[in-house]
Amino acid sequence: MIYLDYGATAPMTEAARQTYLQTAQQYFANPSSIHTAGVQAAGLLAHCRQQLAQLCGCRKEELVFTSGGSEGNHLALTLSLQKLRGLRQSVTKQDGDAAALWEKEFPTVARKQKNDLKSQKHSHESNASLLTTVAESRGCHNRAKIPVLVNPLEHGSIWQWLKGYEADLIVKKIPLTAAGRVDICETAQLLAQTTVENGNGLVICQQVNSLTGMIQPVEKLAELAMTQDWLFHSDCVQGFGKLVGEWPHGITSWCASGHKIGGPKGTGILYLAANAGFTPLLPDIHQEYGFRSGTEDLPGIAAFTQAAVDSFSQRRELDKRFQDFRQSFMSCLPDWQIVGETCGKAELTTNPIGNCKTVEKSASSTTGTFESCYPGVWGILSPRLAGETVVMQLSAAGIACSTTSACNTHRKIDPALFPLGLDQSAAQRFLRISLGPATTKAEIETLIQVLSEIG
């Protein structure tokens, strides 16, 4: 079988498998036990956490081991809501000190609003009364709902959480460009307006889209959120260990999953920024700094850590290889449009695979740039057949891919396709090809050949 569904899950690497087995045999004790075997297990757990912290450029105390991306998203969002609720309640309880508390918790915005109000008020008004006006206008006293700005292309686990807490939230969608990338200018305006109308809240934006590979400007969004004293969460499941460059900073929380990079299923990490002031949801939990109870799955964590180390070390080489594969696909199959790429005006003068005639100009009419998409995920539009039909024909030919996120297979069309500007007809012709370390030139050649026959 030619496996091209790494966006759904990656086969466990041999190094991760061996690490899992060795850990299960030699470090089977509970890391919380105080005997020698337990202390050794705790030592390995700390070592894994430290290795992952070094990869991500953060403190080990900021990493919590989880079961994967969905749990990581849910836990991060719930902690964020708890934090924001606590700030609102603190202001309400201290009504007389509302302005002072608001200025302490949100210094940047309070300072800006204070200066804005100064220009509109009489000079004899005191700073305290000005800040009280700010606090009241920002909804600290009477507005209980928390504003959330969310990327319309988020994973299903994000929408599940938003639906579950909809009574407590004011949800607004982040503006996108035609290519599906966050529009920074419009988002800045929306963020500022929402801050004035509803107070401080939470921004949610994934790092890499699981359907198209679109890379979002999460660091710029984090900067925007910081200027308005908002929390910012990013689902980094599809980008962790894959994107070239330094891991993004300034994010309040992010999560990753082990099985997307060749680790075992049921493993993952959640980053919680120390300066965000998150507090555990429940009392008296001693595992994972109080944020997640239960005995840690040490074999799984060790295998995930091994997979992460390997993935980070080979990401630059894989990125170049996947770019070559993608360029060859586009030159050989110009009628198979890649969503989110600018190739209509691109001169494709080389063909790294070299087994088909190079097309000088692609027929694609989509928007975006190569640099804005992770080259290991291709969202493709079939020229005429439904994506589900193409996937079934590829499966019959021994090639595995998908039409949607694996968490969304109960739906024939992924709802995240519509914010990209696809209509019903185009969305029905969508399929996803996702690559991994084991993907070869010969496999891509076979894919191209089969798709050319399918037409």
Side-chain angles (χ1 to χ4, degrees):
M1 178 184 69
I2 297 176
Y3 187 74
L4 299 176
D5 199 19
Y6 283 82
T9 192
M12 199 167 174
T13 66
E14 180 60 23
R17 190 178 72 86
Q18 290 297 331
T19 298
Y20 187 98
L21 293 174
Q22 181 180 356
T23 304
Q25 292 172 349
Q26 299 181 13
Y27 295 88
F28 56 84
N30 191 320
S32 298
S33 298
I34 62 174
H35 50 64
T36 301
V39 171
Q40 291 174 343
L44 179 58
L45 181 66
H47 175 70
C48 291
R49 202 187 308 271
Q50 181 61 45
Q51 277 195 299
L52 290 168
Q54 289 175 353
L55 290 176
C56 302
C58 64
R59 296 164 49 187
K60 67 180 187 299
E61 295 83 7
E62 295 176 310
L63 295 181
V64 174
F65 288 112
T66 68
S67 65
S70 293
E71 183 197 357
N73 282 331
H74 292 167
L75 180 55
L77 298 182
T78 305
L79 289 170
S80 298
L81 179 59
Q82 176 182 256
K83 171 68 175 177
L84 293 165
R85 278 174 171 169
L87 294 176
R88 297 283 178 94
Q89 291 171 358
S90 296
V91 173
T92 301
K93 291 177 181 179
Q94 303 177 44
D95 187 58
D97 298 324
L101 184 59
W102 193 262
E103 186 174 27
K104 177 182 178 182
E105 292 292 348
F106 306 111
T108 306
V109 177
R111 186 165 52 250
K112 181 179 182 302
Q113 294 262 339
K114 175 182 173 182
N115 292 334
D116 291 344
L117 285 171
K118 276 185 176 180
S119 64
Q120 303 173 19
K121 300 287 183 177
H122 297 293
S123 58
H124 66 270
E125 287 186 284
S126 67
N127 288 348
S129 62
L130 284 173
L131 284 171
T132 300
T133 302
V134 171
E136 291 174 346
S137 69
R138 298 289 297 283
C140 339
H141 295 282
N142 301 318
R143 299 178 184 174
K145 288 192 175 184
I146 304 297
V148 175
L149 301 188
V150 58
N151 171 18
L153 307 178
E154 290 300 306
H155 183 264
S157 60
I158 296 292
W159 298 110
Q160 292 164 3
W161 186 89
L162 291 173
K163 185 175 181 179
Y165 286 91
E166 60 184 349
D168 304 308
L169 308 172
I170 300 171
V171 179
K172 300 180 182 180
K173 293 183 179 179
I174 293 173
L176 304 178
T177 65
R181 191 169 165 86
V182 169
D183 189 313
I184 291 294
C185 292
E186 290 193 15
T187 301
Q189 295 175 3
L190 177 61
L191 182 64
Q193 177 184 352
T194 304
T195 304
V196 172
E197 295 175 351
N198 308 115
N200 299 77
L202 172 66
V203 177
I204 304 172
C205 184
Q206 62 191 186
Q207 183 188 36
V208 177
N209 182 258
S210 62
L211 297 177
T212 67
M214 177 65 66
I215 302 172
Q216 299 293 358
V218 292
E219 281 200 341
K220 291 183 180 179
L221 280 174
E223 291 175 6
L224 284 179
M226 188 179 300
T227 62
Q228 299 290 345
D229 298 307
W230 281 50
L231 301 180
F232 178 66
H233 174 71
S234 184
D235 177 343
C236 295
V237 167
Q238 290 292 343
F240 182 77
K242 300 176 183 179
L243 296 186
V244 176
E246 291 187 6
W247 195 244
H249 298 285
I251 300 174
T252 309
S253 60
W254 56 259
C255 62
S257 182
H259 75 101
K260 302 292 188 181
I261 56 171
K265 296 174 179 62
T267 60
I269 51 171
L270 171 62
Y271 166 81
L272 298 171
N275 59 8
F278 292 116
T279 56
L281 298 174
L282 299 172
D284 303 325
I285 295 174
H286 65 271
Q287 296 99 340
E288 298 305 304
Y289 306 111
F291 289 106
R292 187 172 187 262
S293 62
T295 303
E296 295 90 348
D297 176 10
L298 190 54
I301 290 171
F304 166 42
T305 304
Q306 180 64 59
V309 170
D310 294 342
S311 188
F312 271 80
S313 68
Q314 62 187 354
R315 54 187 170 157
R316 190 174 300 276
E317 174 192 346
L318 291 177
D319 189 86
K320 177 60 170 63
R321 187 198 306 174
F322 295 163
Q323 288 186 40
D324 290 344
F325 290 166
R326 180 177 59 186
Q327 183 171 326
S328 293
F329 180 94
M330 293 170 56
S331 66
C332 294
L333 297 172
D335 292 336
W336 291 75
Q337 180 178 327
I338 295 184
V339 178
E341 303 292 358
T342 293
C343 41
K345 300 180 180 179
E347 296 285 345
L348 300 178
T349 57
T350 60
N351 179 3
I353 291 182
N355 69 323
C356 65
K357 182 179 180 181
T358 299
V359 176
E360 290 299 315
K361 291 189 178 182
S362 168
S364 173
S365 60
T366 52
T367 57
T369 62
F370 281 141
E371 291 75 17
S372 65
C373 284
Y374 168 61
V377 176
W378 311 344
I380 300 172
L381 297 183
S382 164
R384 59 183 184 85
L385 296 177
E388 186 175 2
T389 301
V390 176
V391 168
M392 295 306 296
Q393 291 190 29
L394 286 173
S395 180
I399 302 174
C401 63
S402 61
T403 59
T404 182
S405 164
C407 295
N408 191 58
T409 51
H410 66 287
R411 299 180 181 177
K412 290 188 176 182
I413 297 179
D414 196 306
L417 293 174
F418 297 114
L420 291 172
L422 300 184
D423 58 21
Q424 184 79 12
S425 174
Q428 287 177 336
R429 293 184 285 111
F430 180 88
L431 63 146
R432 180 185 68 182
I433 303 293
S434 47
L435 316 181
T439 305
T440 65
K441 171 183 173 181
E443 290 178 337
I444 300 301
E445 290 175 344
T446 301
L447 170 68
I448 291 172
Q449 179 62 35
V450 175
L451 288 179
S452 66
E453 294 172 357
I454 292 174

